[in-house]
Amino acid sequence: MNVSVMTTGGSPAVLLPMNRGPVGIGVIAGIVLTVFLAQSFGWRQGALFVVGFGAGVALYHAAFGFTSAWRRVIQTGRSAGLRAQLLMLAVTALVFLPLIADGQLWGMELRGNVRPLSLSVAAGAFLFGIGMQLGGGCASGTLFTVGGGSVRMVATLAAFIAGSVLGAYHRPGWDAAAPSAGSLSFQGLFGTSGALAMTLAILAAVWVLSVRIERRRHGNVTGVTAAPSRGEWLQGPWPLIAGALGLAAVNVATLVLAGRPWGITSGFALWGSKALAAMGVDVASWPYWQGSAALQASVFSDITSVMNMGILLGALTAAGLAGRFSPAWRIPARSLAAALVGGLLLGYGARIAYGCNIGAFFSGVASSSLHGWLWLVAAFAGCMLGIRMRPWFGLDR
Protein backbone atom coordinates (compact mmCIF):
# COMPACT_ATOMS: atom_id res chain seq x y z
CA MET A 1 0.00 0.00 0.00
CA ASN A 2 1.04 3.60 -0.53
CA VAL A 3 2.30 5.61 2.46
CA SER A 4 1.96 9.38 2.77
CA VAL A 5 4.54 11.61 4.41
CA MET A 6 4.71 15.38 4.68
CA THR A 7 7.03 17.24 2.33
CA THR A 8 8.91 20.32 3.42
CA GLY A 9 6.20 22.46 1.83
CA GLY A 10 3.57 20.86 4.07
CA SER A 11 1.77 18.92 1.36
CA PRO A 12 1.51 15.14 1.45
CA ALA A 13 3.79 13.14 -0.82
CA VAL A 14 3.02 9.56 -1.70
CA LEU A 15 5.78 7.03 -1.13
CA LEU A 16 5.29 4.15 -3.53
CA PRO A 17 6.01 0.52 -2.63
CA MET A 18 9.61 -0.40 -3.31
CA ASN A 19 10.33 -2.41 -6.48
CA ARG A 20 12.28 -5.23 -4.84
CA GLY A 21 13.53 -6.82 -8.05
CA PRO A 22 15.43 -3.77 -9.39
CA VAL A 23 16.76 -2.96 -5.92
CA GLY A 24 18.01 -6.51 -5.47
CA ILE A 25 19.63 -6.59 -8.91
CA GLY A 26 21.24 -3.20 -8.42
CA VAL A 27 22.61 -3.93 -4.95
CA ILE A 28 23.82 -7.47 -5.66
CA ALA A 29 25.38 -6.56 -9.02
CA GLY A 30 26.96 -3.51 -7.39
CA ILE A 31 28.57 -5.55 -4.63
CA VAL A 32 29.78 -8.24 -7.05
CA LEU A 33 31.29 -5.69 -9.44
CA THR A 34 32.94 -3.73 -6.63
CA VAL A 35 34.67 -6.85 -5.32
CA PHE A 36 35.60 -8.05 -8.82
CA LEU A 37 37.05 -4.70 -9.86
CA ALA A 38 38.99 -4.26 -6.63
CA GLN A 39 40.50 -7.73 -6.85
CA SER A 40 41.19 -7.72 -10.59
CA PHE A 41 42.10 -4.10 -11.30
CA GLY A 42 42.93 -2.55 -7.95
CA TRP A 43 41.06 -0.86 -5.16
CA ARG A 44 40.87 2.44 -7.01
CA GLN A 45 38.89 0.86 -9.82
CA GLY A 46 36.45 -0.61 -7.31
CA ALA A 47 36.18 2.74 -5.57
CA LEU A 48 35.50 4.55 -8.86
CA PHE A 49 32.68 2.13 -9.59
CA VAL A 50 31.18 2.96 -6.17
CA VAL A 51 31.52 6.68 -6.97
CA GLY A 52 29.65 6.08 -10.23
CA PHE A 53 26.97 4.13 -8.36
CA GLY A 54 26.52 7.07 -6.01
CA ALA A 55 26.30 9.42 -8.99
CA GLY A 56 23.47 7.29 -10.41
CA VAL A 57 21.54 7.49 -7.13
CA ALA A 58 22.05 11.27 -6.85
CA LEU A 59 21.17 11.93 -10.50
CA TYR A 60 17.97 9.90 -10.27
CA HIS A 61 16.72 11.09 -6.88
CA ALA A 62 17.47 14.76 -7.61
CA ALA A 63 16.28 14.42 -11.24
CA PHE A 64 19.46 16.34 -11.97
CA GLY A 65 19.35 16.67 -15.73
CA PHE A 66 20.87 19.46 -17.79
CA THR A 67 18.42 19.05 -20.67
CA SER A 68 15.17 19.87 -18.88
CA ALA A 69 16.82 22.57 -16.76
CA TRP A 70 18.06 24.43 -19.83
CA ARG A 71 14.77 23.98 -21.65
CA ARG A 72 12.95 25.43 -18.65
CA VAL A 73 15.20 28.49 -18.68
CA ILE A 74 14.69 29.04 -22.40
CA GLN A 75 10.94 28.47 -22.38
CA THR A 76 9.79 29.86 -19.05
CA GLY A 77 12.66 31.75 -17.47
CA ARG A 78 12.58 29.45 -14.43
CA SER A 79 16.21 28.93 -13.51
CA ALA A 80 16.43 26.79 -10.37
CA GLY A 81 18.03 23.91 -12.27
CA LEU A 82 20.56 26.20 -13.91
CA ARG A 83 21.41 27.88 -10.61
CA ALA A 84 21.95 24.47 -9.01
CA GLN A 85 24.45 23.73 -11.78
CA LEU A 86 26.21 27.05 -11.10
CA LEU A 87 26.52 26.11 -7.43
CA MET A 88 27.88 22.69 -8.43
CA LEU A 89 30.51 24.32 -10.63
CA ALA A 90 31.56 26.82 -7.96
CA VAL A 91 32.02 24.18 -5.25
CA THR A 92 33.95 21.90 -7.59
CA ALA A 93 36.23 24.67 -8.85
CA LEU A 94 37.06 25.68 -5.28
CA VAL A 95 38.40 22.18 -4.65
CA PHE A 96 39.76 21.40 -8.12
CA LEU A 97 42.00 24.37 -8.79
CA PRO A 98 44.20 24.17 -5.66
CA LEU A 99 44.61 20.41 -6.22
CA ILE A 100 45.46 20.88 -9.90
CA ALA A 101 47.93 23.63 -8.95
CA ASP A 102 49.76 21.20 -6.63
CA GLY A 103 49.83 18.69 -9.48
CA GLN A 104 49.82 15.59 -7.32
CA LEU A 105 48.13 13.98 -4.36
CA TRP A 106 49.45 11.00 -2.40
CA GLY A 107 51.91 10.30 -5.19
CA MET A 108 49.32 10.45 -7.99
CA GLU A 109 49.62 13.07 -10.71
CA LEU A 110 46.54 15.29 -11.03
CA ARG A 111 45.49 17.14 -14.16
CA GLY A 112 42.48 19.21 -15.11
CA ASN A 113 40.42 18.92 -18.26
CA VAL A 114 41.89 21.67 -20.42
CA ARG A 115 41.21 21.30 -24.14
CA PRO A 116 41.71 23.44 -27.25
CA LEU A 117 39.53 26.50 -27.74
CA SER A 118 38.51 25.56 -31.27
CA LEU A 119 35.78 25.59 -33.87
CA SER A 120 35.31 21.85 -33.36
CA VAL A 121 34.28 22.53 -29.74
CA ALA A 122 31.70 25.09 -30.86
CA ALA A 123 30.36 22.88 -33.66
CA GLY A 124 30.25 19.74 -31.53
CA ALA A 125 28.60 21.46 -28.56
CA PHE A 126 25.99 23.03 -30.85
CA LEU A 127 25.12 19.60 -32.26
CA PHE A 128 25.10 18.19 -28.73
CA GLY A 129 22.63 20.89 -27.65
CA ILE A 130 20.23 19.95 -30.44
CA GLY A 131 20.66 16.29 -29.53
CA MET A 132 19.85 17.00 -25.88
CA GLN A 133 16.42 18.33 -26.75
CA LEU A 134 15.59 15.66 -29.33
CA GLY A 135 17.14 12.69 -27.56
CA GLY A 136 15.66 13.70 -24.22
CA GLY A 137 18.83 13.81 -22.18
CA CYS A 138 22.47 14.75 -21.94
CA ALA A 139 25.24 12.22 -21.28
CA SER A 140 24.58 11.82 -17.56
CA GLY A 141 20.83 12.19 -18.13
CA THR A 142 20.79 9.41 -20.71
CA LEU A 143 22.58 7.02 -18.38
CA PHE A 144 20.48 7.63 -15.30
CA THR A 145 17.18 7.49 -17.20
CA VAL A 146 18.20 4.23 -18.88
CA GLY A 147 19.11 2.83 -15.47
CA GLY A 148 15.79 4.12 -14.16
CA GLY A 149 13.87 2.08 -16.71
CA SER A 150 13.22 4.39 -19.68
CA VAL A 151 12.93 2.25 -22.81
CA ARG A 152 12.96 5.28 -25.10
CA MET A 153 16.29 6.36 -23.64
CA VAL A 154 17.75 2.95 -24.46
CA ALA A 155 17.27 3.95 -28.11
CA THR A 156 18.94 7.29 -27.39
CA LEU A 157 21.87 5.50 -25.73
CA ALA A 158 22.30 3.09 -28.64
CA ALA A 159 22.36 5.98 -31.12
CA PHE A 160 24.62 7.94 -28.72
CA ILE A 161 27.15 5.09 -28.90
CA ALA A 162 26.89 4.94 -32.72
CA GLY A 163 27.37 8.70 -33.00
CA SER A 164 30.36 8.52 -30.65
CA VAL A 165 32.05 5.97 -32.90
CA LEU A 166 31.44 8.12 -35.99
CA GLY A 167 32.76 11.15 -34.12
CA ALA A 168 35.88 9.23 -33.08
CA TYR A 169 36.46 8.30 -36.71
CA HIS A 170 36.09 11.92 -37.86
CA ARG A 171 37.75 13.78 -34.97
CA PRO A 172 41.31 13.69 -36.33
CA GLY A 173 39.99 15.52 -39.39
CA TRP A 174 38.32 18.13 -37.20
CA ASP A 175 41.50 18.50 -35.15
CA ALA A 176 43.52 19.11 -38.30
CA ALA A 177 41.11 21.45 -40.10
CA ALA A 178 39.24 23.38 -37.41
CA PRO A 179 40.75 26.75 -36.37
CA SER A 180 42.05 26.60 -32.82
CA ALA A 181 43.53 29.01 -30.28
CA GLY A 182 45.16 26.14 -28.41
CA SER A 183 44.48 24.88 -24.89
CA LEU A 184 43.84 27.88 -22.64
CA SER A 185 42.78 28.10 -19.02
CA PHE A 186 42.28 30.90 -16.52
CA GLN A 187 44.69 29.06 -14.24
CA GLY A 188 47.39 29.04 -16.89
CA LEU A 189 46.80 32.69 -17.69
CA PHE A 190 46.21 34.20 -14.24
CA GLY A 191 47.33 31.62 -11.69
CA THR A 192 45.15 29.73 -9.23
CA SER A 193 43.82 32.75 -7.31
CA GLY A 194 43.06 34.61 -10.51
CA ALA A 195 41.37 31.55 -12.02
CA LEU A 196 39.17 31.13 -8.97
CA ALA A 197 38.24 34.81 -9.01
CA MET A 198 37.43 34.75 -12.73
CA THR A 199 35.43 31.51 -12.55
CA LEU A 200 33.43 32.53 -9.49
CA ALA A 201 32.77 36.00 -10.94
CA ILE A 202 31.33 34.55 -14.15
CA LEU A 203 29.21 32.04 -12.24
CA ALA A 204 27.93 34.80 -9.95
CA ALA A 205 27.10 37.02 -12.94
CA VAL A 206 25.09 34.23 -14.58
CA TRP A 207 23.33 33.57 -11.26
CA VAL A 208 22.34 37.24 -10.85
CA LEU A 209 21.19 37.49 -14.47
CA SER A 210 19.07 34.34 -14.22
CA VAL A 211 17.46 35.54 -10.98
CA ARG A 212 16.60 38.91 -12.50
CA ILE A 213 15.06 37.30 -15.58
CA GLU A 214 13.00 34.90 -13.48
CA ARG A 215 11.80 37.62 -11.11
CA ARG A 216 10.89 39.91 -14.01
CA ARG A 217 8.86 37.18 -15.71
CA HIS A 218 7.22 35.59 -12.67
CA GLY A 219 7.50 38.03 -9.78
CA ASN A 220 9.32 35.44 -7.65
CA VAL A 221 12.32 33.11 -7.74
CA THR A 222 12.25 29.36 -7.14
CA GLY A 223 14.72 28.05 -4.60
CA VAL A 224 17.23 25.20 -4.74
CA THR A 225 17.88 24.61 -1.03
CA ALA A 226 14.76 23.02 0.48
CA ALA A 227 15.67 19.93 2.52
CA PRO A 228 13.74 16.70 1.90
CA SER A 229 11.89 14.83 4.60
CA ARG A 230 13.30 11.64 6.09
CA GLY A 231 11.33 9.45 3.72
CA GLU A 232 12.40 11.46 0.69
CA TRP A 233 16.09 10.74 1.35
CA LEU A 234 15.36 7.12 0.54
CA GLN A 235 12.73 7.48 -2.16
CA GLY A 236 13.21 11.01 -3.45
CA PRO A 237 12.75 13.53 -4.78
CA TRP A 238 15.84 15.27 -3.45
CA PRO A 239 16.19 19.05 -3.67
CA LEU A 240 18.39 20.39 -6.42
CA ILE A 241 21.09 21.44 -3.97
CA ALA A 242 21.52 17.80 -2.91
CA GLY A 243 22.09 16.81 -6.53
CA ALA A 244 24.48 19.71 -7.05
CA LEU A 245 26.62 18.93 -4.03
CA GLY A 246 26.44 15.19 -4.73
CA LEU A 247 27.77 15.61 -8.27
CA ALA A 248 30.46 18.02 -7.07
CA ALA A 249 31.57 15.27 -4.67
CA VAL A 250 31.54 12.76 -7.54
CA ASN A 251 33.84 14.90 -9.67
CA VAL A 252 36.22 15.64 -6.81
CA ALA A 253 36.36 11.94 -5.91
CA THR A 254 37.08 11.11 -9.56
CA LEU A 255 39.96 13.59 -9.68
CA VAL A 256 41.44 12.21 -6.45
CA LEU A 257 41.04 8.55 -7.42
CA ALA A 258 41.72 8.69 -11.17
CA GLY A 259 44.03 11.69 -11.40
CA ARG A 260 41.73 13.47 -13.85
CA PRO A 261 38.16 14.83 -13.82
CA TRP A 262 34.92 12.98 -14.49
CA GLY A 263 33.91 12.13 -18.05
CA ILE A 264 31.28 9.91 -19.65
CA THR A 265 31.24 9.81 -23.44
CA SER A 266 34.71 8.44 -24.18
CA GLY A 267 33.33 5.21 -22.75
CA PHE A 268 30.61 5.20 -25.39
CA ALA A 269 33.18 5.55 -28.17
CA LEU A 270 35.11 2.66 -26.67
CA TRP A 271 32.04 0.41 -26.36
CA GLY A 272 30.99 1.03 -29.95
CA SER A 273 34.50 0.64 -31.31
CA LYS A 274 34.97 -2.64 -29.47
CA ALA A 275 31.71 -3.88 -30.96
CA LEU A 276 32.88 -2.97 -34.47
CA ALA A 277 36.23 -4.63 -33.85
CA ALA A 278 34.43 -7.80 -32.77
CA MET A 279 32.61 -7.72 -36.13
CA GLY A 280 35.90 -7.54 -38.02
CA VAL A 281 36.23 -3.79 -38.60
CA ASP A 282 39.84 -2.58 -38.37
CA VAL A 283 39.10 0.06 -35.75
CA ALA A 284 42.63 -0.12 -34.34
CA SER A 285 43.96 1.55 -37.49
CA TRP A 286 41.90 4.69 -36.93
CA PRO A 287 44.06 7.66 -35.89
CA TYR A 288 41.75 8.24 -32.90
CA TRP A 289 42.89 4.95 -31.36
CA GLN A 290 46.58 5.19 -32.25
CA GLY A 291 48.75 4.95 -29.16
CA SER A 292 45.87 3.66 -27.03
CA ALA A 293 45.70 0.19 -25.56
CA ALA A 294 42.03 0.56 -24.63
CA LEU A 295 40.72 -1.47 -27.57
CA GLN A 296 42.81 -4.50 -26.60
CA ALA A 297 42.28 -4.14 -22.84
CA SER A 298 39.26 -5.28 -20.85
CA VAL A 299 36.42 -2.78 -20.70
CA PHE A 300 36.60 -3.19 -16.90
CA SER A 301 40.03 -1.57 -16.94
CA ASP A 302 38.59 1.62 -18.44
CA ILE A 303 37.77 4.15 -15.73
CA THR A 304 35.01 5.90 -17.68
CA SER A 305 33.29 2.64 -18.60
CA VAL A 306 33.36 1.41 -15.01
CA MET A 307 31.87 4.65 -13.71
CA ASN A 308 29.18 4.54 -16.41
CA MET A 309 28.26 1.03 -15.27
CA GLY A 310 28.01 2.38 -11.74
CA ILE A 311 25.64 5.15 -12.85
CA LEU A 312 23.36 2.64 -14.58
CA LEU A 313 23.17 0.35 -11.55
CA GLY A 314 22.89 3.25 -9.10
CA ALA A 315 19.95 4.69 -11.01
CA LEU A 316 18.34 1.25 -11.23
CA THR A 317 18.59 0.89 -7.48
CA ALA A 318 17.27 4.40 -6.86
CA ALA A 319 14.30 3.84 -9.20
CA GLY A 320 13.50 0.62 -7.40
CA LEU A 321 13.71 2.29 -3.98
CA ALA A 322 11.38 5.02 -5.22
CA GLY A 323 8.94 2.42 -6.52
CA ARG A 324 9.13 3.99 -9.97
CA PHE A 325 10.81 1.32 -12.06
CA SER A 326 8.07 0.76 -14.62
CA PRO A 327 9.33 0.59 -18.23
CA ALA A 328 6.88 1.76 -20.92
CA TRP A 329 7.42 -0.46 -23.92
CA ARG A 330 5.24 1.39 -26.43
CA ILE A 331 7.04 4.36 -27.98
CA PRO A 332 5.43 6.58 -30.65
CA ALA A 333 7.27 6.32 -33.97
CA ARG A 334 8.12 10.02 -34.15
CA SER A 335 9.38 10.01 -30.57
CA LEU A 336 11.57 7.03 -31.37
CA ALA A 337 12.91 8.84 -34.45
CA ALA A 338 13.76 11.84 -32.27
CA ALA A 339 15.58 9.57 -29.83
CA LEU A 340 17.69 8.09 -32.63
CA VAL A 341 18.47 11.41 -34.33
CA GLY A 342 19.16 13.07 -31.00
CA GLY A 343 21.41 10.24 -29.86
CA LEU A 344 23.49 10.41 -33.03
CA LEU A 345 23.95 14.17 -32.59
CA LEU A 346 24.83 13.71 -28.92
CA GLY A 347 27.51 11.13 -29.66
CA TYR A 348 29.02 12.85 -32.67
CA GLY A 349 28.97 16.27 -31.03
CA ALA A 350 30.58 15.03 -27.83
CA ARG A 351 33.50 13.41 -29.66
CA ILE A 352 34.43 16.40 -31.81
CA ALA A 353 33.91 18.81 -28.87
CA TYR A 354 36.25 16.85 -26.54
CA GLY A 355 33.41 15.83 -24.28
CA CYS A 356 29.82 16.30 -23.16
CA ASN A 357 28.00 18.25 -20.48
CA ILE A 358 30.11 16.40 -17.89
CA GLY A 359 33.56 16.04 -19.49
CA ALA A 360 33.66 19.31 -21.43
CA PHE A 361 31.31 21.63 -19.54
CA PHE A 362 31.33 20.52 -15.90
CA SER A 363 34.91 19.26 -15.73
CA GLY A 364 36.18 21.88 -18.18
CA VAL A 365 34.75 24.88 -16.32
CA ALA A 366 35.79 23.44 -12.95
CA SER A 367 39.33 23.16 -14.38
CA SER A 368 39.09 26.82 -15.53
CA SER A 369 39.42 25.76 -19.18
CA LEU A 370 38.12 28.33 -21.65
CA HIS A 371 36.82 25.54 -23.87
CA GLY A 372 34.28 24.69 -21.15
CA TRP A 373 32.73 28.15 -21.41
CA LEU A 374 32.70 28.00 -25.22
CA TRP A 375 31.00 24.60 -24.93
CA LEU A 376 28.28 26.10 -22.70
CA VAL A 377 27.47 28.96 -25.06
CA ALA A 378 27.39 26.75 -28.16
CA ALA A 379 25.38 23.97 -26.49
CA PHE A 380 22.85 26.47 -25.14
CA ALA A 381 22.40 27.84 -28.66
CA GLY A 382 21.92 24.29 -29.92
CA CYS A 383 19.28 23.71 -27.24
CA MET A 384 17.34 26.75 -28.47
CA LEU A 385 17.22 25.27 -31.97
CA GLY A 386 16.48 21.80 -30.63
CA ILE A 387 13.46 23.10 -28.70
CA ARG A 388 12.07 24.56 -31.93
CA MET A 389 12.55 21.19 -33.62
CA ARG A 390 10.78 19.13 -30.93
CA PRO A 391 7.25 19.60 -32.36
CA TRP A 392 8.44 18.07 -35.65
CA PHE A 393 8.78 14.80 -33.76
CA GLY A 394 5.60 15.12 -31.75
CA LEU A 395 7.45 16.22 -28.60
CA ASP A 396 6.17 18.95 -26.31
CA ARG A 397 8.07 22.18 -26.60
Side-chain angles (χ1 to χ4, degrees):
M1 61 182 294
N2 296 339
V3 179
S4 294
V5 298
M6 298 303 292
T7 65
T8 53
S11 59
V14 176
L15 299 183
L16 300 174
M18 180 175 65
N19 303 132
R20 297 182 182 276
V23 173
I25 292 171
V27 171
I28 293 172
I31 293 172
V32 170
L33 272 174
T34 300
V35 173
F36 165 74
L37 290 167
Q39 291 183 341
S40 303
F41 300 96
W43 70 269
R44 288 181 185 272
Q45 200 75 340
L48 285 162
F49 170 80
V50 173
V51 170
F53 191 98
V57 173
L59 284 163
Y60 186 89
H61 275 333
F64 204 92
F66 291 72
T67 302
S68 59
W70 291 10
R71 185 163 66 245
R72 198 168 295 119
V73 170
I74 294 167
Q75 292 180 311
T76 71
R78 288 294 189 188
S79 59
L82 175 63
R83 283 181 280 116
Q85 294 167 24
L86 298 175
L87 177 63
M88 173 189 74
L89 289 163
V91 171
T92 308
L94 284 167
V95 180
F96 260 35
L97 294 180
L99 289 174
I100 293 170
D102 287 342
Q104 64 86 33
L105 181 67
W106 302 320
M108 171 177 283
E109 181 181 352
L110 304 181
R111 62 172 177 82
N113 189 15
V114 180
R115 297 290 189 171
L117 189 68
S118 69
L119 179 62
S120 67
V121 171
F126 183 77
L127 294 175
F128 192 94
I130 298 173
M132 287 169 68
Q133 299 305 327
L134 297 184
C138 51
S140 53
T142 297
L143 282 177
F144 91 75
T145 49
V146 167
S150 172
V151 177
R152 180 185 185 274
M153 294 306 290
V154 173
T156 297
L157 178 58
F160 205 143
I161 293 170
S164 297
V165 174
L166 183 60
Y169 181 72
H170 284 164
R171 197 173 87 177
W174 280 92
D175 290 344
S180 172
S183 298
L184 300 172
S185 70
F186 289 140
Q187 192 167 32
L189 294 171
F190 306 113
T192 300
S193 297
L196 279 172
M198 292 287 290
T199 300
L200 295 177
I202 296 173
L203 294 172
V206 177
W207 181 292
V208 170
L209 178 62
S210 66
V211 166
R212 287 183 176 178
I213 292 173
E214 184 170 346
R215 181 170 286 119
R216 184 179 301 129
R217 293 186 62 174
H218 299 280
N220 56 51
V221 179
T222 51
V224 300
T225 59
S229 68
R230 183 171 56 186
E232 287 175 320
W233 278 117
L234 182 63
Q235 293 200 313
W238 292 358
L240 288 169
I241 190 172
L245 296 178
L247 295 191
V250 166
N251 214 343
V252 170
T254 305
L255 178 67
V256 170
L257 290 169
R260 50 84 167 161
W262 185 19
I264 289 178
T265 55
S266 65
F268 297 165
L270 177 62
W271 298 353
S273 296
K274 277 183 169 289
L276 285 183
M279 292 185 285
V281 179
D282 187 16
V283 179
S285 66
W286 295 1
Y288 180 90
W289 293 112
Q290 295 299 302
S292 172
L295 282 176
Q296 288 72 41
S298 167
V299 70
F300 294 108
S301 67
D302 179 62
I303 290 170
T304 303
S305 295
V306 163
M307 293 189 69
N308 289 351
M309 295 173 196
I311 293 173
L312 289 167
L313 287 174
L316 172 66
T317 304
L321 288 171
R324 299 186 184 279
F325 187 85
S326 181
W329 297 100
R330 297 185 64 180
I331 308 170
R334 286 199 293 169
S335 178
L336 179 60
L340 296 174
V341 172
L344 287 170
L345 292 174
L346 286 164
Y348 191 85
R351 280 306 84 218
I352 68 172
Y354 305 102
C356 59
N357 58 299
I358 297 298
F361 173 47
F362 182 11
S363 295
V365 169
S367 301
S368 82
S369 177
L370 271 64
H371 95 285
W373 292 109
L374 174 60
W375 194 98
L376 169 63
V377 172
F380 207 83
C383 281
M384 296 176 71
L385 177 58
I387 290 170
R388 291 183 175 274
M389 295 171 65
R390 283 172 63 85
W392 302 355
F393 297 91
L395 305 175
D396 294 335
R397 292 187 64 178

